[in-house]
Amino acid sequence: MADTEALLADAVGARHVLTGSEIPAEYAGDESLAATRQAPSYLVRPATAPEVAHVLRIAGRAGIPVTARGSGTGMSGGCVPRPGGITVSFERMNRVTEVDVVNQVAVVQPGVTLDALDRQTAEHRLCYPVRLGEPTASVGGTIATNAGGMHAVRYGVTRHHVLGVEAVLASGEVVRTGGKYIKTSTGYDLTQLLVGSEGTLALVTEATLRLRPRAGHTTTVLAAFASPEDAFRAVPPLAVGGLDPVALEYVDLLAMAAITDDQQMGLGISDSVRRDALAYLLVVLENHSAQRLEEDVETVGEQLLELGAADVFVLPAAAARNLTEARERAFWTAKAAGADDIADIVVPRSELHGLLAAAHAAAEDTGSLVTGCGHAGDGNVHLSVFQPDPVRREEVLRRLFRAGLARGGTVSGEHGIGRAKKPYFMNLAGPAKVELMRRIKHAFAPDGILNPDVLFD
């Protein structure tokens, strides 16, 4: 161990290598409620791609497992280290190296946080439209999980905005894929293969991200519905109705109560509506023209009422901001309330009602509570599972995932598989698909040192 520590110190500098009790407790895991935490044997904090390459060569020669880490805000245990392993933290590689206004791209290091990137792009009236519930998430972490967020219904998920990467292979070789161009038809698209690979194929050390013009005007509309069924029936017409909402969110009664109580938030909803509503849709519209936005708001309000909303509210700016931010942080509200796990199943949006019906049946049959909210516009729902008994909780989750797959969906829409969801993925995914993924991983990292036991065994 002393020899390895000395080699790592030579790679990144002695003050950037921590071992044993020197390693802070937070490096043992992420925000997952289910993954078992594990401290690494070594924490290294490189500052450059060559330093990352040096670390991987050391690890490869010694057969030491390597886990990459950004801000630690993941929710599936993807950055939980292996026993005896090295955690490569990208906290020092946290610069936006370029905002190219002409080509509308940003070149960033993996440790850059989304809020830091947003501040710098705002200076140029541009934005990186991937908006998550935790703005301190790192760009590298969001690339690893192909994160989505509230704006995915309009702008897509992370992979739609990653134009290229610099990455270090397990061998220590540095490769570049893509660039400041939007389209390519030149061989395999290695950029998109790396997006969502959860640190199992290579470590991303730089990313070229596509930016969008920043809208000048935003309005939030809240619609109350008498039942979840009514709310879900309204989603497909709203999503394809021509107004192109930037966010279309579902919040059930319990989640709304928890959010508003936790934030001590008043939204101006009448007592009669609050008493009768069992579900809500949150619709965010944006436009470069204030007049056009007003017209869009009037149109969407009329649509919502025609689609069965009991009432519709145009929220004042402060209330809209507070509710949107609270909705984005619903995971932490659920965690504080004692949730035992979170599922982020995605299905075609026309299947949302069927998925929620299956979730309620699973909860009733197992004596559990399943509640939540989600990105209704893209069919991704976040279900908080309250069931302390591990056997019953596993039954609930397995039924939820099976219900999602039966409706044309999949296990995770944006959180990733990590370690927490691996048993379900392994059980439900086709063997040929998993075997193909194994062969791809072997091609990138034949020695198996990169994030072993994540995604599959």
Side-chain angles (χ1 to χ4, degrees):
M1 183 169 180
D3 290 343
T4 299
E5 183 178 354
L7 291 169
L8 293 172
D10 184 57
V12 303
R15 57 192 292 247
H16 300 299
V17 178
L18 302 180
T19 62
S21 61
E22 298 174 327
I23 301 175
E26 60 263 29
Y27 290 92
D30 55 16
E31 294 292 343
S32 170
L33 299 178
T36 302
R37 299 174 69 81
Q38 169 69 53
S41 290
Y42 311 92
L43 172 66
V44 299
R45 299 180 291 204
T48 66
E51 289 185 3
V52 175
H54 196 168
V55 169
L56 288 183
R57 286 193 293 270
I58 294 167
R61 287 194 293 268
I64 301 174
V66 176
T67 300
R69 180 185 175 88
S71 300
T73 61
M75 297 184 184
S76 294
C79 68
V80 176
R82 299 302 296 151
I86 297 171
T87 288
V88 176
S89 172
F90 286 107
E91 60 202 83
R92 294 176 65 212
M93 298 179 67
N94 60 359
R95 292 188 301 113
V96 177
T97 58
E98 182 183 7
V99 176
D100 183 337
V101 177
V102 174
N103 290 305
Q104 291 193 338
V105 301
V107 181
V108 308
Q109 294 182 317
V112 171
T113 62
L114 294 180
D115 55 350
L117 178 58
D118 189 62
R119 288 193 299 272
Q120 294 199 40
T121 55
E123 297 174 4
H124 304 278
R125 304 182 73 175
L126 296 170
C127 73
Y128 178 61
V130 176
R131 178 167 176 167
L132 307 185
E134 180 47 75
T136 65
S138 69
V139 168
T142 63
I143 291 174
T145 59
N146 186 33
M150 288 181 67
H151 292 184
V153 63
R154 180 168 185 174
Y155 293 111
V157 297
T158 297
R159 72 168 63 258
H160 299 120
H161 307 285
V162 180
L163 300 178
V165 300
E166 174 191 76
V168 182
L169 303 179
S171 62
E173 297 169 281
V174 179
V175 297
R176 281 191 171 273
T177 71
K180 293 183 180 181
Y181 44 84
I182 295 173
K183 59 184 181 179
T184 179
S185 184
T186 311
Y188 297 142
D189 194 337
L190 298 178
T191 302
Q192 294 306 314
L193 188 57
L194 291 175
V195 176
S197 61
E198 301 192 45
T200 62
L201 302 182
L203 302 192
V204 172
T205 50
E206 183 182 273
T208 301
L209 307 175
R210 187 179 185 183
L211 304 178
R212 301 280 185 174
R214 186 175 290 263
H217 306 277
T218 303
T219 296
T220 301
V221 177
L222 181 66
F225 289 84
S227 70
E229 294 82 359
D230 291 342
F232 287 131
R233 274 194 291 266
V235 170
L238 285 171
V240 301
L243 292 178
D244 201 14
V246 68
L248 177 50
E249 299 289 302
Y250 165 75
V251 186
D252 73 9
L253 174 64
L254 292 176
M256 176 64 82
I259 288 170
T260 53
D261 289 348
D262 181 58
Q263 303 294 321
Q264 298 182 342
M265 188 185 305
L267 298 175
I269 302 175
S270 67
D271 290 340
S272 60
V273 171
R274 186 187 295 273
R275 182 177 60 250
D276 297 334
L278 295 180
Y280 296 85
L281 289 180
L282 182 68
V283 185
V284 181
L285 301 171
E286 66 179 21
N287 207 294
H288 296 283
S289 163
Q291 180 178 349
R292 180 63 181 273
L293 182 60
E294 288 182 10
E295 295 170 359
D296 290 348
V297 169
E298 183 176 348
T299 300
V300 81
E302 293 172 355
Q303 286 182 345
L304 284 162
L305 291 172
E306 292 172 0
L307 291 168
D311 210 340
V312 177
F313 307 86
V314 178
L315 298 179
R321 182 173 58 254
N322 291 340
L323 179 58
T324 301
E325 290 176 355
R327 161 61 194 94
E328 289 174 330
R329 296 185 61 81
F331 165 76
W332 284 270
T333 300
K335 183 177 181 179
D340 297 292
D341 211 338
I342 303 287
D344 79 305
I345 302 162
V346 62
V347 295
R349 55 186 169 228
S350 60
E351 298 292 336
L352 282 169
H353 168 55
L355 175 64
L356 266 293
H360 293 154
E364 184 174 351
D365 291 346
T366 59
S368 309
L369 173 64
V370 178
T371 183
C373 47
H375 312 308
D378 57 36
N380 181 207
V381 290
H382 296 181
L383 298 172
S384 302
V385 178
F386 294 79
Q387 175 51 264
D389 180 79
V391 175
R392 291 187 178 184
R393 184 167 67 249
E394 181 179 351
E395 179 184 350
V396 173
L397 289 166
R398 195 173 301 279
R399 287 180 58 171
L400 292 179
F401 296 137
R402 287 191 182 279
L405 267 65
R407 289 163 175 79
T410 192
V411 170
S412 173
E414 59 184 9
H415 293 169
I417 300 301
R419 303 190 194 284
K421 301 297 185 291
K422 181 182 70 173
Y424 306 102
F425 174 71
M426 291 286 292
N427 181 259
L428 298 172
K433 177 180 177 179
V434 174
E435 180 56 31
L436 178 58
M437 293 172 65
R438 290 188 199 279
R439 296 203 297 269
I440 292 171
K441 179 174 180 178
H442 182 77
F444 274 82
D447 54 11
I449 65 169
L450 293 185
N451 226 5
D453 299 328
V454 164
L455 285 177
F456 44 77
D457 295 329

